[in-house]
Amino acid sequence: MKWLCVILTKKIGCHLWALSTMIPKKVKTFPYPYIIEHRMLSGYKPKNNIKDSYRRLKLQEGCSLDDVRSSFRNLAKQYHPDSGSITADSATFMQIEAAYRAVLSDVAKKMKSSESEDEEETKFKSKAPQHRQYLSLEGVGFGTPSQRERQYMQFRVDRAAEQVMEYRKQKLESQYAMNTMIAKDIRQSKKVKITQAIDRLVEDLIQESMAKGDFDNLSGKGKPLQKFSYCPHIDPMTHNLNRILIDNGYQPEWILMQKEIRETIEELRKNIVASRNKLGEPMTPCRQKQWSQICEQLIDDIKKLNKRINDFNLIVPILNRQMVHFNANKEIARAQKAYEILVEKTKTTDVDTKENEQEKVKMFRLKSGFLKWINLMLK
């Protein structure tokens, strides 16, 4: 029996030693918290759901990985204990980190699910019938798949040619615009040179006249300028220059243009009334044709005058001084009315002259009869 016990103890010892050698030495049990593969796992477990994690990161569901990373980076700058920020808090940062990990896993799951759906769709497309593979040719062509493919290739060639033509057109337009701008700059530089040359010529003439003594006999030489009225709205120098220009008969361009427009419309009105009066009454077909020609000429003149009014409205400095367009039809009706008034006046004057003549005849007869009676009485 002793020999049996010794053999059993030796065999059990050998088995225990073999089992101890099979266990790895690096795996050791540690109390909570524990370390696996040199990584510290926190004991914090989030109790909230995924919506709270999105809300804690200030995100919405369906965002991308870049949005999640940028939001976590900004919050880490605020709440990380080593950031040096006023709002740094380790507990808050741990909650933010847990929310970040939960959101990352949720976004990754959604991306994997979408990728799997795309793979299923591609598999379904690959298993589709042969005629459906040609439905992606932008809806171009008809007939068999090979015919549709040839038609689609021709369509692509035509579209490429149109794009090339459009590109060339845009390039030519840009070159034309550049050439016009260069020509405009050249004209402007020439204009500036001309004005500078005129200014130099005028200055040379003034200096030559002063050297000859043409300005020695002026009435106001050596005397100060007359003081002008003060205007608080502009500086004194500008006010004095304007006063000098007004005293010497200078008028701005818009005033001269306004005067020209008024004189032109008055002349047109007088001419059409005179033409209507010359035609007289009744209006025969020949006179009616002449009157229509006169009206057409008036319409052309009114159009030219309205263009002049547009130029005037662009340069007039005061808004309430702008002028409205003249209407040719109203001007013709006005001339017709003026002619009718003139005809009525002539009729009334003719009646008055006839009555005056009749009264003169009566008075002459009375005087002659009275003289005859006196002669008979004297005899």
Side-chain angles (χ1 to χ4, degrees):
M1 292 295 290
K2 290 181 180 180
W3 176 76
L4 183 60
C5 290
V6 171
I7 291 171
L8 288 173
T9 53
K10 285 182 179 181
K11 287 184 178 181
I12 292 169
C14 290
H15 284 293
L16 290 173
W17 178 81
L19 290 172
S20 64
T21 56
M22 290 175 67
I23 297 172
K25 295 181 180 181
K26 290 183 179 180
V27 177
K28 297 180 182 180
T29 58
F30 290 91
Y32 178 85
Y34 52 91
I35 300 173
I36 295 177
E37 294 181 357
H38 306 288
R39 183 172 179 180
M40 187 73 181
L41 293 181
S42 171
Y44 176 77
K45 296 181 180 179
K47 298 180 181 179
N48 299 325
N49 55 8
I50 193 66
K51 292 184 179 179
D52 294 334
S53 300
Y54 277 104
R55 182 177 55 79
R56 187 171 285 112
L57 291 179
K58 299 179 181 178
L59 294 172
Q60 294 181 356
E61 294 185 7
C63 59
S64 62
L65 289 173
D66 295 333
D67 297 335
V68 176
R69 293 191 183 99
S70 62
S71 177
F72 176 72
R73 195 179 298 113
N74 295 330
L75 293 172
K77 289 178 182 179
Q78 297 179 7
Y79 297 103
H80 197 277
D82 298 333
S83 63
S85 176
I86 300 173
T87 59
D89 187 12
S90 59
T92 307
F93 178 72
M94 290 173 67
Q95 295 176 3
I96 291 169
E97 185 179 6
Y100 170 64
R101 296 184 185 282
V103 171
L104 274 181
S105 63
D106 183 64
V107 173
K109 288 179 183 178
K110 290 180 179 179
M111 289 178 67
K112 287 181 180 179
S113 63
S114 62
E115 288 176 359
S116 63
E117 289 177 358
D118 293 338
E119 289 177 359
E120 290 178 358
E121 288 181 359
T122 53
K123 289 178 182 178
F124 178 75
K125 287 181 180 178
S126 62
K127 293 178 182 178
Q130 187 177 4
H131 68 277
R132 294 188 182 179
Q133 296 178 5
Y134 295 93
L135 294 177
S136 61
L137 301 179
E138 300 182 14
V140 177
F142 58 91
T144 62
S146 59
Q147 291 175 354
R148 291 195 63 197
E149 189 173 1
R150 286 195 296 271
Q151 293 170 9
Y152 179 66
M153 294 298 293
Q154 185 63 35
F155 169 74
R156 290 183 63 186
V157 170
D158 296 339
R159 184 170 60 185
E162 289 178 359
Q163 291 177 355
V164 170
M165 291 296 294
E166 187 67 24
Y167 172 74
R168 290 179 179 176
K169 181 181 176 182
Q170 292 178 359
K171 190 174 180 180
L172 290 173
E173 288 178 353
S174 62
Q175 290 179 358
Y176 177 74
M178 185 65 68
N179 293 332
T180 53
M181 289 177 64
I182 292 169
K184 187 177 180 180
D185 293 339
I186 292 170
R187 289 196 298 270
Q188 190 68 23
S189 62
K190 287 182 179 179
K191 192 180 292 184
V192 170
K193 288 180 182 178
I194 291 169
T195 54
Q196 291 177 355
I198 292 171
D199 293 339
R200 287 197 298 271
L201 178 61
V202 171
E203 186 67 26
D204 294 340
L205 292 173
I206 291 171
Q207 294 295 331
E208 185 179 354
S209 299
M210 290 175 66
K212 289 180 181 179
D214 295 337
F215 296 156
D216 294 339
N217 297 325
L218 296 177
S219 60
K221 181 182 178 182
K223 297 180 182 180
L225 292 174
Q226 185 180 1
K227 291 184 178 180
F228 302 112
S229 59
Y230 175 70
C231 183
H233 304 292
I234 56 176
D235 59 300
M237 181 63 71
T238 305
H239 180 65
N240 292 338
L241 290 174
N242 291 336
R243 192 73 254 169
I244 291 170
L245 292 173
I246 291 169
D247 292 342
N248 287 276
Y250 173 77
Q251 291 181 349
E253 183 181 1
W254 64 275
I255 292 177
L256 296 174
M257 194 179 294
Q258 186 182 27
K259 189 184 294 184
E260 179 187 352
I261 291 168
R262 289 176 177 173
E263 290 176 355
T264 305
I265 192 63
E266 289 296 329
E267 184 177 359
L268 290 174
R269 287 170 178 171
K270 288 180 181 178
N271 291 336
I272 192 170
V273 172
S275 300
R276 183 66 185 87
N277 191 18
K278 186 177 180 181
L279 292 173
E281 291 290 345
M283 292 288 285
T284 61
C286 182
R287 291 180 179 180
Q288 188 68 34
K289 186 176 180 181
Q290 292 178 0
W291 174 245
S292 62
Q293 291 177 357
I294 293 167
C295 292
E296 289 177 359
Q297 183 63 34
L298 178 67
I299 290 169
D300 295 336
D301 295 336
I302 291 294
K303 286 181 180 178
K304 294 177 182 179
L305 187 62
N306 288 333
K307 290 181 180 178
R308 193 68 175 164
I309 289 170
N310 291 334
D311 298 336
F312 169 77
N313 291 334
L314 290 174
I315 63 173
V316 65
I318 304 170
L319 187 62
N320 57 5
R321 290 295 182 90
Q322 290 186 349
M323 301 178 71
V324 296
H325 288 183
F326 293 103
N327 192 347
N329 296 326
K330 290 183 179 179
E331 295 297 330
I332 293 169
R334 181 176 181 176
Q336 187 69 27
K337 189 175 181 180
Y339 169 72
E340 291 174 358
I341 293 170
L342 184 62
V343 169
E344 289 179 357
K345 286 183 179 179
T346 53
K347 287 180 179 179
T348 54
T349 52
D350 291 339
V351 171
D352 293 336
T353 51
K354 287 180 180 180
E355 290 178 354
N356 293 329
E357 288 178 357
Q358 290 176 359
E359 288 179 357
K360 286 180 180 179
V361 169
K362 288 179 180 179
M363 290 296 293
F364 179 74
R365 287 177 180 176
L366 288 172
K367 287 179 180 180
S368 61
F370 180 70
L371 291 173
K372 288 179 181 179
W373 181 75
I374 289 174
N375 290 328
L376 290 172
M377 291 296 291
L378 291 173
K379 289 179 180 180

